[in-house]
Amino acid sequence: MKLAKRIGWILLIALIAIQFYRPAKNVEIGDHSAVFLSETNPPQEVKLILETTCYDCHSNNTIYPWYNNIAPVSYWMADHIRVGKGHLNFSEWESYTSKKKDHKLEELVEEVEGGEMPLKEYTWTHKEARLTSEQKEMVIAWAKKSRVLYQLGPQPQ
Ligand code: HEC
């Protein structure tokens, strides 16, 4: 009993202590994905879907929920964003080659078709990010169309 109490105190102190260490936030104001949007030209509905259900982990600007202020949630979230951005970052679209853009869109179709993205952990807390089959179809149609653009390569001016 005495030991359990001691462990309880240690855990509580540790939990308080980690609150002082906050991972850097992923926030960039302005048109951070302008190149991506102008090149792939998504219809308004698709743009909105991407912005509200993918950008939190795949762009340089995350809209944080209040509970991100609590550690260890903040660490966990920062890690998802770091890994998600490493795989695909709409804010750094200009740094990808046409081949890579095409490939990323191919993966996007697969992820959305298979219901893998947005991540389950995300849709648990963001119910509005659960895509309907109609929304998925719109995103897939747009991505497939954009792929053709990159496959054709640069066009003569
Ligand atoms: C909560 C964070 C989060 C959200 C929201 C999210 N993703 Fe992801 N995404 C990740 C992570 C993390 C990975 C890395 C692979 C994995 O864990 O499956 C990933 C991987 C991917 C990949 C694979 C890229 C590759 O190189 O293999 C694609 C494509 C993708 N996401 C598209 C999307 C799309 C489209 C949306 C919105 C409909 C979305 N994601 C929403 C976190 C997220």
Side-chain angles (χ1 to χ4, degrees), residues 10-25 66-76:
I10 291 170
L11 284 179
L12 184 68
I13 291 164
L15 194 67
I16 292 168
I18 62 169
Q19 304 305 322
F20 292 98
Y21 297 95
R22 296 222 168 138
K25 279 197 174 176
W66 63 267
Y67 46 82
N68 183 65
N69 292 318
I70 304 164
V73 178
S74 49
Y75 296 104
W76 186 62

Side-chain angles (χ1 to χ4, degrees), residues 122-134:
Y122 187 75
T123 51
W124 287 338
T125 48
H126 296 75
K127 290 200 173 54
E128 70 289 352
R130 290 178 194 163
L131 303 183
T132 64
S133 40
E134 203 188 359

Side-chain angles (χ1 to χ4, degrees), residues 52-147:
T52 54
T53 72
C54 316
Y55 271 39
D56 277 353
C57 301
H58 292 292
S59 86
N60 287 343
N61 189 47
T62 303
I63 300 180
Y64 287 94
W66 63 267
Y67 46 82
N68 183 65
N69 292 318
I70 304 164
V73 178
S74 49
Y75 296 104
W76 186 62
M77 224 175 268
D79 203 52
H80 268 117
I81 295 165
R82 184 183 55 78
V83 178
K85 272 174 48 168
H87 280 261
L88 170 68
N89 187 346
F90 294 122
S91 308
E92 277 159 29
W93 198 246
E94 60 272 33
S95 71
Y96 297 171
T97 60
S98 294
K99 195 170 161 218
K100 188 167 175 182
K101 289 170 181 170
D102 175 41
H103 182 57
K104 289 294 160 192
L105 289 168
E106 181 184 16
E107 285 173 343
L108 188 149
V109 170
E110 283 168 13
E111 299 285 343
V112 171
E113 238 167 15
E116 304 290 337
M117 287 287 149
L119 281 184
K120 299 269 174 306
E121 294 95 311
Y122 187 75
T123 51
W124 287 338
T125 48
H126 296 75
K127 290 200 173 54
E128 70 289 352
R130 290 178 194 163
L131 303 183
T132 64
S133 40
E134 203 188 359
Q135 285 176 313
K136 284 184 191 170
E137 273 167 30
M138 281 195 292
V139 171
I140 292 166
W142 153 82
K144 285 186 173 164
K145 214 167 95 187
S146 302
R147 286 193 64 197

